[in-house]
Amino acid sequence: MSRIITITSGKGGVGKTTITANIGISLALKGYKVCLIDADFGLRNLDIPLGLSNRIILDISDYLQKLCSFNHVVVRHRTMKNLHLVPGSKKTLSERELGYFVEMLHEIDPFYDFILIDSPSGLESGFFYALSGADEAIIVTTPDKTALQDADRVIGILESQNKQQLSLLVNGYKNNQEIENILQLLNINTLGAIPADVNIIAANNKGNPIALNPAIPSGVMFRKIANNLSKHHYNQRFDLPLYNQNLFTHRKLKLSF
């Protein structure tokens, strides 16, 4: 059976899709069978950082409408045969189609080690459907105050439901004080942190996630996060690469989570 993990947030634009792609790549590099599901219904974009846009013929809505089998929808990565993508739909799905989403998870559960769901942001119906079949949830936030406020609200909602194991991933931090502030504000297991890094954007645009490049600190961090996720290690000591956008240099700092 697979571990079904929804990657979510309260606010859009915090990097859920980038994180889903890179954690998926990192887990596949470790030899796991991984399926990435783009559940950001109406805003399909998980295929872009993976470089799979030109391979999409059918999408998740075709499967949920019972127009085809799962094998006709899934897209295999160009070089990593153990990494699959279920493309999202560019149209908003009906409540009936969303209702079949959990059925799909049950159908594919036996075939993967990890199923990562890229969730829509906000608290609309798609958000709850993306979480309904998951065992775990990773809440993504940036140091931005509005993102933190929305993340805190999402954490509160999910904790009240007590259905998923929750963890936090901080994206786009610029200094260690930002991390300290977030850890004091949000009382939740911490999976890791990714620095603000223009290399990540460049890699996305090329369709080659940064995790494929172990020479770049951000790529290394995604691999470490995937390793901790696979071992259920939370609140561990991390070597966090600090990206200084003024100097365009990297150095490391140590924080105890």
Side-chain angles (χ1 to χ4, degrees), residues 59-229:
D59 61 40
I60 193 170
S61 66
D62 296 301
Y63 174 79
L64 296 179
Q65 292 178 57
K66 311 296 184 181
L67 299 178
C68 63
S69 70
F70 180 78
N71 286 334
H72 288 110
V73 172
V74 70
V75 178
R76 290 160 179 80
H77 192 265
R78 301 184 309 276
T79 58
M80 305 180 70
K81 303 306 179 185
N82 55 331
L83 179 66
H84 295 170
L85 168 69
V86 177
S89 174
K90 289 186 176 180
K91 66 178 184 178
T92 302
L93 302 186
S94 68
E95 288 293 323
R96 182 178 182 182
E97 290 167 345
L98 288 171
Y100 290 137
F101 182 78
V102 176
E103 290 184 18
M104 180 188 75
L105 295 178
H106 289 316
E107 178 181 341
I108 68 176
D109 183 27
F111 303 110
Y112 296 99
D113 299 307
F114 287 89
I115 297 173
L116 304 185
I117 303 169
D118 184 13
S119 161
S121 54
L123 299 175
E124 305 296 331
S125 59
F127 167 87
F128 291 102
Y129 278 109
L131 283 156
S132 58
D135 311 304
E136 306 168 46
I138 299 172
I139 295 94
V140 180
T141 187
T142 65
D144 180 76
K145 288 184 178 180
T146 57
L148 289 171
Q149 179 174 292
D150 289 347
D152 191 34
R153 184 182 181 196
V154 167
I155 291 168
I157 291 172
L158 297 183
E159 284 182 337
S160 68
Q161 295 179 350
N162 198 29
K163 291 182 179 179
Q164 292 95 10
Q165 177 178 323
L166 306 181
S167 60
L168 180 73
L169 196 156
V170 179
N171 188 36
Y173 77 92
K174 298 181 179 66
N175 57 68
N176 59 333
Q177 188 58 53
E178 288 183 333
I179 299 292
E180 295 284 357
N181 294 341
I182 292 169
L183 296 181
Q184 290 177 13
L185 178 65
L186 303 177
N187 184 22
I188 182 176
N189 286 336
T190 306
L191 188 60
I194 300 296
D197 188 350
V198 293
N199 292 311
I200 296 176
I201 300 173
N204 282 351
N205 292 337
K206 293 178 181 178
N208 290 304
I210 198 81
L212 290 172
N213 191 341
I216 298 178
S218 299
V220 174
M221 278 309 306
F222 274 115
R223 295 191 186 202
K224 288 183 177 180
I225 287 169
N227 184 60
N228 281 294
L229 180 65

Side-chain angles (χ1 to χ4, degrees), residues 226-239:
N227 184 60
N228 281 294
L229 180 65
S230 68
K231 295 179 179 179
H232 297 275
H233 286 176
Y234 303 99
N235 298 334
Q236 302 296 307
R237 178 176 291 276
F238 291 90
D239 289 325

Side-chain angles (χ1 to χ4, degrees), residues 239-252:
D239 289 325
L240 298 177
L242 175 62
Y243 187 75
N244 187 319
Q245 290 181 308
N246 295 321
L247 300 178
F248 289 89
T249 59
H250 288 86
R251 61 187 178 88
K252 288 188 176 181

